[in-house]
Amino acid sequence: MAEQLQTLTLARPDDWHHHLRDGAALATTVPFAARTYGRAICMPNLVPPVTTAALAVAYKERIMKHVPKGSSFEPLMTLYLTDSTSPQDIKDAKASGVVVACKLYPKGATTNSHGGVSDIKKIWKTLDAMEECGLLLLVHGEATGSVDVFERERSFLESTFKPLVLSRPGLRIVLEHCTTAEAAAFVQSGPPNVCASVTPQHLLFNRNHMLAGGIKPHLYCMPILKAEEDRAFLVKAVTAPGQKKFF
């Protein structure tokens, strides 16, 4: 019997969800990212957000100024979708050569998302253009409004994400930082155009770690930590033999 593999070394990993931020912070965040990663998908929820190809190009230029000499680090840019993002904006983003994806933030769901999409129906033609251009759709999968904070992913899954995925087989869609068993199960059994990213904290911790015996603020994140059953399901999903849907 062949000897079982005991270690796996990632010589130069990529980061598929990275917040470099902007301004003076880039002098710290960019060299830190470049030390470890070959590429990083850069989130667009700046102030103001990266809503056009021109803003994406300018943001990449600001990032590149802080890449250490000799580094091959490559920032991959994204566009922040709004209710007014047009099909032409998508075509311009593709033509720029630097934008690889668009980010869907439900309006008010997370940091700097107040300019996000209020109703996915408002960007339906924009999604048509993304499908035609081959740009990825990265989704922050949480409902907003009065939905309980622990139920926001489940609510979004049923109201928005499942219908979106099933109605657009040609659009490559990523459910970012997946946190619930229900969402992970849908991605596992869903069509080939959908996958999900999972964060280390959602694999390591559950909401008891954050709340039981007193609040631990450093374990707070968005999406918020979920139940142990969710954490355990995520671990099984990402470590399943041959899985290609979670990263």
Side-chain angles (χ1 to χ4, degrees), residues 18 30 44 169 171 184 224:
H18 204 104
V30 174
L171 180 62
I224 202 164

Side-chain angles (χ1 to χ4, degrees), residues 28-217:
T28 299
T29 60
V30 174
F32 181 84
R35 282 201 300 269
T36 302
Y37 303 112
R39 299 175 295 174
I41 290 185
C42 303
M43 293 294 104
N45 56 331
L46 309 181
V47 180
V50 181
T51 54
T52 67
L55 289 172
V57 170
Y59 185 32
K60 182 175 182 179
E61 290 173 352
R62 296 196 298 276
I63 292 169
M64 293 304 298
K65 289 179 181 178
H66 297 280
V67 174
K69 186 177 181 180
S71 171
S72 61
F73 176 71
E74 181 184 5
L76 304 175
M77 310 312 294
T78 59
L79 217 64
Y80 181 114
L81 295 175
T82 73
D83 286 347
S84 58
T85 303
S86 69
Q88 186 60 51
D89 289 329
I90 301 303
K91 294 174 184 177
D92 292 343
K94 179 66 175 181
S96 73
V98 305
V99 176
V100 300
C102 296
K103 181 65 181 276
L104 170 59
Y105 293 102
K107 187 179 181 68
T110 188
T111 307
N112 298 337
S113 63
H114 53 277
V117 176
S118 63
D119 184 341
I120 198 165
K121 294 177 183 177
K122 293 184 177 181
I123 60 166
W124 214 244
K125 291 184 179 180
T126 302
L127 296 177
D128 289 339
M130 287 182 60
E131 197 167 345
E132 293 169 6
C133 291
L135 291 182
L136 281 75
L137 177 63
L138 314 180
V139 180
H140 181 107
E142 289 192 290
T144 57
S146 60
V147 179
D148 183 276
V149 68
F150 292 108
E151 298 300 323
R152 288 181 177 179
E153 183 172 283
R154 294 182 181 91
S155 176
F156 186 87
L157 178 71
E158 297 300 328
S159 68
T160 304
F161 193 74
K162 284 183 180 181
L164 170 65
V165 169
L166 297 176
S167 68
R168 292 189 171 273
L171 180 62
R172 293 177 295 164
I173 304 172
V174 181
L175 178 61
E176 295 207 302
H177 38 61
C178 175
T179 68
T180 61
E182 291 87 346
F186 174 72
V187 171
Q188 275 185 322
S189 62
N193 64 311
V194 63
C195 63
S197 62
V198 183
T199 74
Q201 61 264 34
H202 291 104
L203 297 174
L204 292 169
F205 305 111
N206 62 47
R207 61 194 181 194
N208 275 5
H209 291 113
M210 180 178 63
L211 298 172
I215 296 175
K216 289 82 170 177

